C-alpha cells in the first residue's frame, strides 16, 4: 500500500510539482495555434489541394489568382510602410526631441488614428472622393462640381493613403519610444565635438533608433498586407485585388482549397518579410543609450519653425482623426453622400423603416439585426478580452518562472506564432479545422464559440507580452515568501499574482476589446447571419455603414480612454 501511494501521486501532488500547468498550457496553445495551421497545410496536400496549388501558381488563371494580387499587395505594403515611417517618424521627432509647443496634445493626436477602424477612414474617403464611374451616388466633391479622376477615387492610391492614415500612429508609438531612450549625454558629446545638427541626427540619433524604424516598417507593412477593409471598399469596385481580398473571394465562393493555398502564401509573404527585418536588426551592433544622464532628453530648439511645424502636425492630426469622424457623422444624417450638410435626418439612427430611404430598413436603434450586432460585438469583445488575458497571464507566468528552459522557449515561440499570420489567413485556418465535425465534436462554423476561439488565439501574442510586462513589475520575493509558507500554485496565483497584476491586465484586456470591436479582417470569413458583429454588418449594410462605424468609434475611443487612464494611474498599494 505504501509503495502504491508513492508511485501514484495524487492530483494535488502533480499540480504541486509544477508540471501540470505547463503541460495544459502547451496543449491549449497547440490546439489554438498549431492545429489550425497544420490542418490548412494538410488540406492543400490532398489531390484537390494539389490541383489548387497548380491553379494558383501555374495555370492560365494564376495571373489573376496570385501574381497580380501579389504585386498589388507588395506595392501597397511598401508604400504604407514608407509613408508611415515618414509621418510617424516626423511626429515622433517633433514631440520627443524638439521644443515644439503642445507636445502632449500632439502626442495624443498622433496616437488616436490607430484606434479608429481602417474601414472608417475608407468610408470617409469614399464619401468625399467617390466619382460616378461605377454609377450610384457621387461623392461630396464631385457633387460640388469638382471632377475627381478615377485614380483618386478608386484603386491603389486611395487605399494606400487610407492605410497610411490608419497605421502611422503605430509607427509613431514605436519610434517615439526609441527616441526617448536617446540620452542627452550622447547628443551633448556630439555638440562638444563640434558636430552640426545634420551630423548629430545621421551619425548619432538615426543609428540608435534604426531597430525601431525597422520594427515600425515591418509592423505597418504586415498590417497593410493583411488589411481587408480598405482594399475591399476602395479596390474591389474597380477589380483591384490584393491577397486578402482574393482570399476572401475564394472562400466566399466555395473554392476552399484555392483559398487555403492563398492563405498559406499570404502567411509566407508576411513571415518572410518579418524574418528578414529581424535578421537586419539582430545583425546590427548594439548601442548603449541608458547612461548616467539616460533619463534626460535633449530637445533641439526650433526657433522660428516652432509654430509652422506645430501647425503641420495639427493638420496631419485633423485630416487623419477629426475630419473622418466629422464626415461620417454628417453622412449618418444626410440622405445622400453628395449633400452632406443639407436635409439632415435621423432615419439611419431611429427611423421606423418601410419607406424608400435605406431600402426600407429601420434605423440602427430600431433594427433587430443591428441591435443584435451591437450586443454581439460587445459580448464578443468582453469574452475575448477575458479569455485572452487569463490565458496570457498563465503563459507569461510559466515563461517567466521557467526562463531559459526548453519549455519556456517552446511556449514563447508558440504564443507569438500568430504574429506571423495575417488575420484573414488565420480565419481561413480555423475554417479548415472547425468547418467540419471532428469526431464527436460538431462543426463550429457560424457559431459564436468559433469567433471567440479564433479571436482569443490571434490575440495571444499581445496578451502574453502584456502579462510579461506586468509580472516583471512584481518582485519574486513576494511569491517566494508565500511558497515557503506552504501556499500552492493556485493559491499563489489567485491570492498574490492576480491581485497585484489586475490593473495592468485590465488595461491590456480593454485594448484587446478595442481590437475586437473594430477588427474586420478576422471576422470577415467567420461571420454568419447567426453571429453578426458590427464591423461585418457595416460592410454588408453600406447604407448604414457610416452610422454603425460611428457607434464603433464611440465604443473604441471610450474603452481606449479607460485603458489610458488605468495605465497612468499609480497602484493603490504604492500610493502615499
Amino acid at each position: 500500500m505504501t509503495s502504491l501511494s508513492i508511485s501514484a501521486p495524487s492530483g494535488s501532488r502533480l499540480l504541486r510539482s509544477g508540471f501540470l500547468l505547463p503541460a495544459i498550457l502547451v496543449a491549449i496553445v497547440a490546439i489554438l495555434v498549431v492545429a489550425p495551421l497544420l490542418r490548412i497545410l494538410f488540406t492543400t496536400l490532398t489531390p484537390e489541394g494539389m490541383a489548387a496549388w497548380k491553379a494558383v501558381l501555374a495555370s492560365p488563371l494564376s495571373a489573376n489568382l496570385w501574381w497580380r494580387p501579389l504585386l498589388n499587395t507588395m506595392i501597397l505594403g511598401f508604400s504604407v510602410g514608407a509613408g508611415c515611417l515618414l509621418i510617424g517618424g516626423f511626429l515622433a521627432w517633433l514631440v520627443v526631441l524638439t521644443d515644439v509647443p503642445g507636445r502632449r496634445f500632439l502626442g495624443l493626436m498622433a496616437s488616436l488614428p490607430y484606434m479608429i477602424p481602417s474601414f472608417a477612414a475608407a468610408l470617409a474617403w469614399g464619401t468625399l472622393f467617390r466619382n460616378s464611374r461605377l454609377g450610384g451616388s457621387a461623392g461630396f466633391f464631385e457633387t460640388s462640381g469638382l471632377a475627381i479622376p478615377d485614380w483618386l477615387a478608386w484603386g491603389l492610391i486611395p487605399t494606400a493613403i487610407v492605410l497610411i492614415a490608419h497605421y502611422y500612429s503605430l509607427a509613431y508609438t514605436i519610434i517615439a519610444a526609441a527616441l526617448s531612450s536617446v540620452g542627452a549625454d550622447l547628443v551633448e558629446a556630439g555638440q562638444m565635438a563640434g558636430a552640426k545638427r545634420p551630423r548629430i541626427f545621421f551619425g548619432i540619433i538615426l543609428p540608435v533608433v534604426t531597430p525601431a524604424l525597422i520594427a515600425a516598417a515591418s509592423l505597418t507593412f504586415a498590417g497593410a498586407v493583411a488589411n481587408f477593409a480598405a482594399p475591399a471598399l476602395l479596390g474591389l469596385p474597380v477589380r483591384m485585388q490584393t491577397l486578402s481580398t482574393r482570399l476572401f473571394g475564394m472562400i466566399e465562393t466555395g473554392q476552399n482549397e484555392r483559398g487555403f493555398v492563398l492563405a498559406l502564401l499570404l502567411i509566407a509573404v508576411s513571415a518572410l518579410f518579418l524574418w528578414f527585418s529581424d535578421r537586419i536588426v539582430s545583425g546590427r551592433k548594439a548601442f548603449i543609450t541608458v547612461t548616467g544622464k539616460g533619463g534626460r532628453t535633449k530637445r533641439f530648439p526650433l526657433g522660428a519653425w516652432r509654430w509652422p511645424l506645430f501647425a503641420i502636425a495639427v493638420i496631419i492630426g485633423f485630416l487623419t482623426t477629426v475630419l473622418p469622424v466629422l464626415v461620417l457623422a454628417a453622412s449618418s444624417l444626410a440622405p445622400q453622400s453628395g449633400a452632406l450638410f443639407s436635409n439632415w435626418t435621423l432615419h439611419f439612427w431611429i427611423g421606423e423603416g418601410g419607406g424608400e430611404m435605406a431600402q426600407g430598413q429601420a434605423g440602427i436603434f430600431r433594427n433587430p439585426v443591428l441591435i443584435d450586432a451591437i450586443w454581439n460585438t460587445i459580448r464578443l469583445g468582453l469574452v475575448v478580452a477575458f479569455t485572452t488575458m487569463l490565458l496570457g497571464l498563465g503563459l507569461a507566468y510559466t515563461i517567466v518562472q521557467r526562463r531559459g528552459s526548453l519549455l519556456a522557449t517552446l511556449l514563447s515561440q508558440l504564443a507569438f506564432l500568430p504574429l506571423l499570420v495575417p488575420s484573414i489567413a488565420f480565419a481561413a485556418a480555423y475554417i479548415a479545422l472547425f468547418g467540419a465535425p471532428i469526431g464527436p465534436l460538431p462543426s463550429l462554423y457560424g457559431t459564436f464559440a468559433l469567433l471567440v476561439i479564433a479571436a482569443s488565439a490571434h490575440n495571444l501574442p499581445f496578451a502574453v507580452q502584456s502579462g510579461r510586462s506586468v509580472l516583471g513589475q512584481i518582485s519574486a520575493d513576494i511569491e517566494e515568501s508565500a511558497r515557503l509558507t506552504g501556499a500552492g500554485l493556485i493559491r499563489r496565483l489567485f491570492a498574490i499574482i492576480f491581485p497585484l497584476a489586475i490593473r495592468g491586465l485590465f488595461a491590456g484586456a480593454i485594448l484587446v476589446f478595442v481590437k475586437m470591436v473594430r477588427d474586420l479582417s478576422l471576422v470577415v470569413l467567420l461571420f454568419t447571419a447567426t453571429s453578426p458583429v458590427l464591423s461585418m454588418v457595416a460592410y454588408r449594410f453600406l447604407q448604414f455603414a457610416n452610422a454603425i462605424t460611428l457607434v464603433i468609434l464611440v465604443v473604441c475611443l471610450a474603452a481606449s480612454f479607460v485603458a489610458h487612464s488605468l495605465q497612468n494611474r499609480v497602484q493603490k498599494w504604492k500610493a502615499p
Side-chain angles (χ1 to χ4, degrees):
M1 294 294 293
T2 304
S3 61
L4 181 60
S5 174
I6 295 175
S7 60
S10 64
S12 60
R13 189 176 304 173
L14 182 63
L15 182 61
R16 197 176 295 117
S17 68
F19 173 77
L20 184 58
L21 180 61
I24 292 174
L25 291 174
V26 169
I28 291 175
V29 175
I31 293 172
L32 291 180
V33 178
V34 180
L37 298 179
L38 289 179
R39 181 59 180 267
I40 198 174
L41 175 62
F42 292 151
T43 302
T44 61
L45 298 180
T46 61
E48 294 82 4
M50 298 305 295
W53 279 105
K54 183 178 180 180
V56 170
L57 295 178
S59 77
L61 298 175
S62 61
N64 289 327
L65 292 179
W66 166 245
W67 297 110
R68 193 170 292 118
L70 174 64
L71 177 62
N72 290 335
T73 302
M74 291 296 99
I75 293 174
L76 196 61
F78 285 114
S79 300
V80 171
C84 289
L85 281 184
L86 289 174
I87 298 178
F90 163 73
L91 292 175
W93 166 79
L94 198 63
V95 170
V96 177
L97 293 183
T98 73
D99 63 346
V100 67
R103 291 196 307 274
R104 290 187 178 180
F105 170 73
L106 295 180
L108 177 62
M109 290 286 288
S111 61
L112 283 179
Y114 192 60
M115 297 300 171
I116 300 175
S118 59
F119 60 83
L123 286 171
W125 184 277
T127 300
L128 294 176
F129 291 94
R130 184 169 55 243
N131 61 19
S132 56
R133 171 185 174 181
L134 302 176
S137 60
F140 175 75
F141 288 139
E142 184 161 294
T143 304
S144 301
L146 297 176
I148 303 298
D150 292 341
W151 61 265
L152 190 59
W154 312 100
L156 273 174
I157 292 179
T159 303
I161 294 174
V162 165
L163 291 181
I164 290 172
H166 175 65
Y167 285 112
Y168 82 80
S169 60
L170 178 60
Y172 162 80
T173 303
I174 297 172
I175 299 171
L179 288 175
S180 299
S181 70
V182 180
D185 52 343
L186 294 176
V187 177
E188 290 173 354
Q191 291 176 332
M192 292 173 61
K196 301 297 183 182
R197 286 189 184 182
R199 177 63 176 169
I200 292 174
F201 179 79
F202 289 102
I204 298 177
I205 297 176
L206 191 60
V208 170
V209 300
T210 295
L213 296 177
I214 295 175
S218 301
L219 292 177
T220 52
F221 173 91
V225 166
N227 191 277
F228 169 80
L233 291 172
L234 299 175
L236 285 183
V238 291
R239 299 183 180 180
M240 190 277 291
Q241 296 275 6
T242 63
L243 291 179
S244 60
T245 59
R246 178 58 79 185
L247 168 58
F248 170 75
M250 292 293 100
I251 301 294
E252 186 82 349
T253 56
Q255 303 178 60
N256 288 355
E257 285 77 13
R258 293 183 180 182
F260 296 156
V261 168
L262 287 173
L264 290 175
L265 292 172
L266 182 57
I267 293 171
V269 169
S270 299
L272 182 62
F273 186 82
L274 291 175
W275 174 84
F276 182 70
S277 302
D278 181 69
R279 293 296 299 173
I280 294 177
V281 174
S282 61
R284 296 180 71 257
K285 179 182 178 181
F287 294 92
I288 298 175
T289 59
V290 180
T291 60
K293 297 182 180 179
R296 183 166 61 91
T297 301
K298 177 70 174 179
R299 300 192 187 279
F300 296 95
L302 294 175
W305 285 96
R306 291 181 75 232
W307 290 105
L309 291 178
F310 171 80
I312 293 175
V314 169
I315 291 173
I316 292 174
F318 176 81
L319 292 178
T320 57
T321 304
V322 179
L323 182 60
V325 176
L326 293 178
V327 170
L328 290 176
S331 299
S332 70
L333 300 173
Q336 295 181 347
S337 59
L340 287 180
F341 305 105
S342 61
N343 301 323
W344 279 3
T345 176
L346 293 175
H347 177 84
F348 294 107
W349 294 97
I350 57 174
E352 295 183 1
E356 296 181 358
M357 188 176 296
Q359 299 178 0
Q361 294 282 338
I364 288 180
F365 297 114
R366 289 194 177 187
N367 192 314
V369 175
L370 299 180
I371 292 176
D372 189 30
I374 292 174
W375 290 117
N376 245 5
T377 302
I378 294 176
R379 184 163 60 108
L380 176 65
L382 292 174
V383 173
V384 171
F386 176 78
T387 56
T388 303
M389 297 311 296
L390 191 63
L391 180 58
L393 178 63
L395 288 168
Y397 178 81
T398 304
I399 292 170
V400 170
Q401 289 294 313
R402 298 173 178 266
R403 185 183 293 109
S405 66
L406 178 62
L407 177 63
T409 303
L410 176 63
L411 280 176
S412 180
Q413 295 295 326
L414 290 178
F416 281 90
L417 185 59
L419 276 179
L420 303 178
V421 185
S423 302
I424 194 168
F426 202 76
Y430 265 75
I431 290 177
L433 181 61
F434 295 105
I438 305 175
L441 297 178
S443 170
L444 295 180
Y445 181 71
T447 64
F448 183 79
L450 183 58
L451 285 172
V452 171
I453 295 171
S456 299
H458 199 256
N459 283 293
L460 263 187
F462 175 81
V464 172
Q465 185 60 35
S466 178
R468 291 176 71 171
S469 63
V470 169
L471 292 177
Q473 300 174 4
I474 301 175
S475 173
D477 296 339
I478 302 176
E479 187 185 1
E480 182 64 19
S481 300
R483 189 184 67 81
L484 292 175
T485 61
L489 175 61
I490 300 299
R491 182 170 178 77
R492 297 199 305 271
L493 284 175
F494 284 94
I496 299 176
I497 302 299
F498 193 74
L500 292 176
I502 184 64
R503 193 180 301 277
L505 290 176
F506 189 52
I510 292 177
L511 295 179
V512 172
F513 172 84
V514 170
K515 188 175 184 300
M516 283 313 307
V517 169
R518 65 177 175 82
D519 191 26
L520 176 62
S521 298
L522 182 65
V523 303
V524 68
L525 290 178
L526 304 177
F527 160 89
T528 64
T530 59
S531 57
V533 291
L534 280 177
S535 58
M536 197 61 211
V537 172
Y539 179 70
R540 296 288 193 188
F541 293 82
L542 286 179
Q543 64 268 30
F544 291 100
N546 298 313
I548 294 173
T549 304
L550 276 181
V551 175
I552 295 174
L553 280 176
V554 171
V555 174
C556 289
L557 292 177
S560 301
F561 176 77
V562 173
H564 184 73
S565 300
L566 283 173
Q567 289 173 333
N568 288 337
R569 289 182 61 181
V570 179
Q571 293 170 324
K572 291 182 179 180
W573 51 84
K574 292 182 180 179

